[in-house]
Amino acid sequence: MRVITALFTAFLALQCVYSSRILGLFPHTGKSHQMVFDPLLRRLAERGHHVTVVSFFPLKNPPANYTDISLEGIAILGLETFDLSFYEQSNKLLKFLHLEKVVKQISEFTPLADMALNVCSKLVSFAPLAEALKQEYDLVFVENFNSDCMLGLLHVYGVKAPIVALLSSSPMHWSSDRIGAVDNPAYVPIVSAGYTNPMNFAQRFENTVLNIYYKVWFRHAVQIKEREILEKHFATKIPDLQELGRNYTLMFLNTFHSLNGVRPLLPGVIEVGGMHLDHNRKPIPHYIERFLNESEHGVVLLSFGSLIKTSSIPKYREEMIINALSKLKQRVIWKYEDSEEEGTLTGNILRVKWLPQYELLQHKKVIAFMGHGGLLGMTEAISAGKPMLVVPFFGDQPYNGAQATAIGFGKTVPYVEMTEEALTEGLNSVLSAEMRISARRVSKIWKDRQAEPLDTAVYWTERVIRWGNYDQLHSISRDMPFYQYLLIDVAAVLLLAVIMLVIILRLMLFATLRFIIGNVDKEKLH
């Protein structure tokens, strides 16, 4: 009887897990961000969960149990919108003081605040979202990037489900302390750093200053202002968004240490880099397939991703790229949105409007990849074992490029420092037999895991559904005031003890001297 009861209880528990209600909240307009999360959301629906997703990029063919709430129309989508003329501006004084890179890095993050506030101001009155938030859920996914508005809305509508943060990159500067993870700038490079460990003094100094700056910037430019938007619209006080950010039960990172570098992690921080890889291959257009198969020495793939508007490259920089590529014996396929429908062929270079990047990187004729260092493209390249020439622009791209160089997976030529000679040298290095062998070795290490990244993400999602906040996955440091975390109170007591000891020793010394002097004076009198 006990066995039957136990089996029945287990059956009910499994039924509960495999028919849970899951809400996904994704307020960022970047297409590449959503591409990271889609396979997990789709897989969960296929496993029988009821998944509701609020995003700017609804699925074209959603599975059963999957409901899309589209945010299309409330903000401009992040598709081929980044104009590269931004990098043609230069300040001689900042360049002389070696501060130009730092200032540009800061200015790249500044628009993220305006984007967050614009979207938040629309979300508070978006009726379909309000209806979704009135339902009950077993788990909520929230993208942790440039906004905490969704955390405020979850509080306003009283959603009590465990919250799992999804990050399309390494932790943002304001992410780690939400779960008590260490981000000591002495050895943890910030997400936008252009260097890897070990860092020299100048790099550690820059890393420390920017680590502090970004936290303060996000606090005042985003969190405080989003809270004001929420309180004004709902006419009620809500908790500090910084405190609500500490309600995460779990955090998924689109990273894996063999590519993205080692950092201190916790049970509640799970690396699932590669979970977006779609093993259901899309067909390669016939004209591209023919171009590949007719290549005698292989093909180099060139793409600057979905956000950068490739046609905005200044003419002189475009000529640098063309001249360097034209020297190759290999053919080149270049994603270039202003091309003809079936490509524009110039010499050994075929420019195409769109390309199935993952499928091409898996193709035996593609032997190297030249890209901007976006994490999705790099993940696809390392999965295929194809070496990369990284031309980073902004965000996490400089760090990704530096890391690729450090592990022997590729070379980096920063866009702002790009010359024809540097590109030629970089391409020759990437296409060398040594680099191609190294890339295949790095790929094997990256793939060597206990489970596929998507399966890992599914397992931990369902574990949180099973146990919720009963399974403590964060560090207690998350809830400690800063003076305790930094041991300022302990240091103060130790300092006070040292001061007291010094005072006592001085008093004892003075007393001893007075005693000695007194005895000497008595002897003189006698």
Side-chain angles (χ1 to χ4, degrees), residues 488-504:
I488 293 174
D489 52 348
V490 174
V493 171
L494 288 173
L495 180 61
L496 181 61
V498 170
I499 292 172
M500 292 296 293
L501 180 61
V502 170
I503 292 172
I504 292 169

Side-chain angles (χ1 to χ4, degrees), residues 83-98:
D83 195 320
L84 294 177
S85 62
F86 169 79
Y87 291 100
E88 301 307 310
Q89 306 162 17
S90 183
N91 186 300
K92 292 182 179 179
L93 177 60
L94 292 176
K95 198 169 187 177
F96 175 76
L97 295 173
H98 301 286

Side-chain angles (χ1 to χ4, degrees), residues 26 124 183 187 219 345 388 520:
F26 305 101
V124 292
D183 66 344
Y187 63 95
R219 170 81 175 143
L345 181 62
M388 280 195 70
V520 170

